[in-house]
Amino acid sequence: MKFFNRLLLLAALFSVVACNKDDDTNAGGDDDIVGVWDLNVLDYTGKSTTTVSGMPFTADFMGSARDITASVEFKSDGTYQSMGTYTIDLTTSLNGQNFTQAVTITDWLGTGTYMVNGNVITATDSQAQMPQSIDITKLDGDDLEMDFTFTQSSNQQGVISTTSIDGNYSFKRR
């Protein structure tokens, strides 16, 4: 169960910068997103399947952020930096049992580079060095909303895990 909890925490951390969903909203160019954005909402649902010795274990989960002090600054030079924290109330349903835990997330996006193309932000975290696409569903003055889909698979010592997350979050310009 400890491995599963760590996998969910890892998925929650990466979910903030990972997305691949089509949307027709025109988000504008790089200048529209420049500034400091305070995170107001982060909600997601997901499914994780872990297969051990051929036996699959599937868990459904949902998370909702509270106690949010997190923000991100998109700079005009194409870099970003996050600050602050939030707590995810994570509820997991596994084999008919529900488990709820609070997970505090710090350094939630880290630092890196970004590029806006239409309504897609491509962000590359300075540590992970893997570009991720994030769909902008609304960028209107001081309001920024995004939907994301994230899928991650791993195989460690014969334990195969796949996690998929769908979520949304919104920001208010500071």
Side-chain angles (χ1 to χ4, degrees):
M1 188 54 117
K2 196 177 258 189
F3 172 77
F4 178 72
N5 286 337
R6 287 186 182 166
L7 179 63
L8 287 178
L9 177 59
L10 180 64
L13 290 171
F14 286 120
S15 73
V16 178
V17 296
C19 165
N20 188 11
K21 186 175 178 182
D22 292 331
D23 189 285
D24 294 331
T25 305
N26 185 358
D30 288 356
D31 291 340
D32 293 340
I33 201 154
V34 171
V36 177
W37 296 87
D38 293 323
L39 180 64
N40 293 321
V41 174
L42 169 58
D43 294 310
Y44 59 85
T45 60
K47 180 179 292 258
S48 182
T49 302
T50 301
T51 304
V52 181
S53 299
M55 292 285 298
F57 299 92
T58 300
D60 296 311
F61 56 90
M62 62 183 199
S64 183
R66 64 174 166 87
D67 302 332
I68 302 170
T69 63
S71 62
V72 61
E73 180 178 9
F74 292 102
K75 300 177 183 179
S76 60
D77 67 357
T79 62
Y80 70 87
Q81 177 179 358
S82 68
M83 298 129 305
T85 64
Y86 60 87
T87 299
I88 285 285
D89 290 324
L90 182 64
T91 301
T92 305
S93 178
L94 177 65
N95 294 331
Q97 295 184 350
N98 289 332
F99 306 93
T100 301
Q101 65 185 55
V103 181
T104 300
I105 307 297
T106 59
D107 192 28
W108 63 292
L109 283 177
T111 60
T113 60
Y114 76 95
M115 184 176 68
V116 177
N117 185 8
N119 35 315
V120 176
I121 298 175
T122 302
T124 304
D125 183 288
S126 61
Q127 291 181 349
Q129 295 295 312
M130 292 178 54
Q132 301 293 324
S133 295
I134 307 164
D135 245 8
I136 301 170
T137 57
K138 179 181 182 182
L139 178 52
D140 183 17
D142 293 338
D143 296 312
L144 172 62
E145 296 179 6
M146 299 181 204
D147 288 340
F148 59 87
T149 297
F150 172 76
T151 301
Q152 178 180 0
S153 296
S154 69
N155 186 341
Q156 295 180 343
Q157 299 176 350
V159 176
I160 301 167
S161 298
T162 302
T163 300
S164 298
I165 300 173
D166 292 308
N168 65 5
Y169 50 114
S170 69
F171 299 87
K172 192 68 132 171
R173 189 185 304 269
R174 189 178 294 170

